[in-house]
Amino acid sequence: MKPSGIGGQAVIEGIMMKNKNRYSIAVRKPNNEIEVVVKKHNNLSKRIKILRLPIIRGVFNFIDSLVIGMSTLTYSASFYEDPQEQAPTPADKVARSLFKDKLDSIVMALTIIVAIVLALGLFMALPFYLSRLLSRFIVSDTLLNLFEGLIRLLIFLGYVTAISLMNDIKRVYMYHGAEHKCINCIENGLELNVKNVRASSRQHRRCGTSFLLFVMLISIILFMFIKTDDPVRQMLYRLLLVPVVAGISYEVLKLAGRSDNFLMKIISAPGLLLQKLTTKEPDDDMIEVAIAAVEAVFDWREFRSVYDDDDEDAFEFIDDDDDVPEYVETFGASVNDPMKEFLGEEEDSTIQEEYAENIPVENTPVENTEEMYEQQNLFGTENDGYVNPQGYADTNGYMNPENYTEQYVQTSLFDEEYQGGNQ
């Protein structure tokens, strides 16, 4: 298995996939069509070097992925909202008049803050005070901290188990399984189609579930070294150590995703076991959505072409964003893109119409084409005689009118990996 670096998450009836500074959201709409939108993500770590330092990068990337995750969840849920509930209330109108275009960003920030506070209360404060009930029987602070960690772990496992029983969450977990299967299919050097994805594993070492489990286990170790009788300072020290715990957990997850040695297999085993709860076997419709999300941002054919190449020069690291066009690409999405409302981006209908509209190949001149070959489309049937300037046909037999060779960079949701292709 060779790491591709692509990563993502499940959303409401869909999948988000991220590759370097682009991410796609593919959603199965109520009318059974798949809508895919591709967005550019400006990562601050590209411009601020300190955010790329070990430990610090883990904290930043966790927050960054949380922001993307919340926005993509909101976007996917918008396809299934009741139209009557979408009508603006008087409070909505007042808030919109006060904050104008910044309202959506403010609401998103408040949502993330509330989620973090609730998580700290459930997984930090509650285990701490429950463990202190044992202080009349246990004198050792180290032992009390150990029991606190075990209580935290039990609460976490109980929470994951409880929500897995909810019908809506079951479908999210099925899409989660489809996401993992697609990535495993790619990283095993297989052609990306429904049959191969179906046969792939639904567990993956770089999963966010494993990251959260690492957080729980590493916090047990670090918190055992807190020695003070003042409960206020004990809680304060724990809060201050949370970023350190997240940073270390990220580094462990990153190492586990890259290394295949015996020690890393042992360290990864508990997270892979827990993923049996947080992933479920998807149906073929869900796999099709996952494939659509992958193909919008990741050239798996390019990845396969160098999969067995042992030459280190086949890949190189890059730090620039020149390979990503400034416009917003949409595939099957309406010109009035609702994602702009959630992410606070300016509307440019002229540019969106140009790139959202598929243009038949026979009506478009093709220049400097390097190769023409048969290609399997999104769902595995052959599609002959169509080619775009990048040297492969797209899934609908259409081509992008712009003649350029795009660089493809494989990165995970938390990390940057390799680049292949013509530079």
Side-chain angles (χ1 to χ4, degrees), residues 392-405:
Y392 61 87
D394 72 14
T395 58
N396 296 316
Y398 295 102
M399 63 171 284
N400 188 316
E402 184 173 354
N403 184 18
Y404 65 93
T405 301

Side-chain angles (χ1 to χ4, degrees), residues 13 95 134 178 195 226 240 268 275 283 332 352 384:
E13 294 299 323
L134 301 174
K195 180 180 179 181
I226 297 177
L240 292 175
S268 300
Q275 288 176 40
D283 57 34
Q352 275 214 297
D384 299 345

Side-chain angles (χ1 to χ4, degrees), residues 67-87:
V67 172
I68 295 177
M70 292 293 291
S71 65
T72 54
L73 276 171
T74 305
Y75 170 71
S76 64
S78 67
F79 291 98
Y80 292 88
E81 291 177 349
D82 187 342
Q84 294 181 349
E85 294 180 357
Q86 296 182 31

